[in-house]
Amino acid sequence: MKNLLELKNARRVTIQANTLEYNWQAAQSGFAILFTVRNQDGGCPWCQVEQVTFANNVVRHSAAGVSILGFDDTHPSQQTRSITIRNNVFARHR
């Protein structure tokens, strides 16, 4: 399991009242939630992650919480903006 939720090209998204669990570091760095704009093969320079709300969720049993990337680091993209993260619980299993 690489990650639990990833947005690469999204606008006006609400992710609310979910339980996301059991993610670990393996093929990627272990983040459960990724808001990482990606122009994956170079054909989408208008790709953007914007106006996203991540609220009232429970994230558990994960190596890391949230990763946000402002611009695609490989191909041209639009800038990530207007990300709201509020009232979530991040719990690690011991």
Side-chain angles (χ1 to χ4, degrees):
M1 177 68 75
K2 296 187 336 180
N3 47 59
L4 299 174
L5 173 76
E6 182 172 14
L7 298 180
K8 296 181 179 184
N9 184 20
R11 289 191 175 112
R12 295 180 292 280
V13 176
T14 299
I15 302 147
Q16 183 170 315
N18 297 283
T19 299
L20 302 141
E21 57 187 353
Y22 294 105
N23 173 46
W24 52 89
Q25 185 175 353
Q28 292 186 351
S29 57
F31 282 95
I33 311 303
L34 293 97
F35 302 128
T36 54
V37 61
R38 291 289 179 203
N39 174 2
Q40 209 145 320
D41 294 317
C44 183
W46 59 86
C47 282
Q48 183 176 37
V49 177
E50 71 171 339
Q51 299 174 2
V52 175
T53 300
F54 186 78
N56 304 312
N57 298 289
V58 175
V59 180
R60 18 181 211 225
H61 310 290
S62 183
V66 178
S67 176
I68 300 173
L69 183 66
F71 289 96
D72 187 330
D73 53 1
T74 307
H75 299 289
S77 72
Q78 300 299 305
Q79 184 173 10
T80 296
R81 62 184 187 165
S82 300
I83 306 292
T84 302
I85 300 171
R86 71 168 169 249
N87 200 37
N88 297 285
V89 174
F90 293 87
R92 198 175 141 195
H93 180 69
R94 294 184 185 218

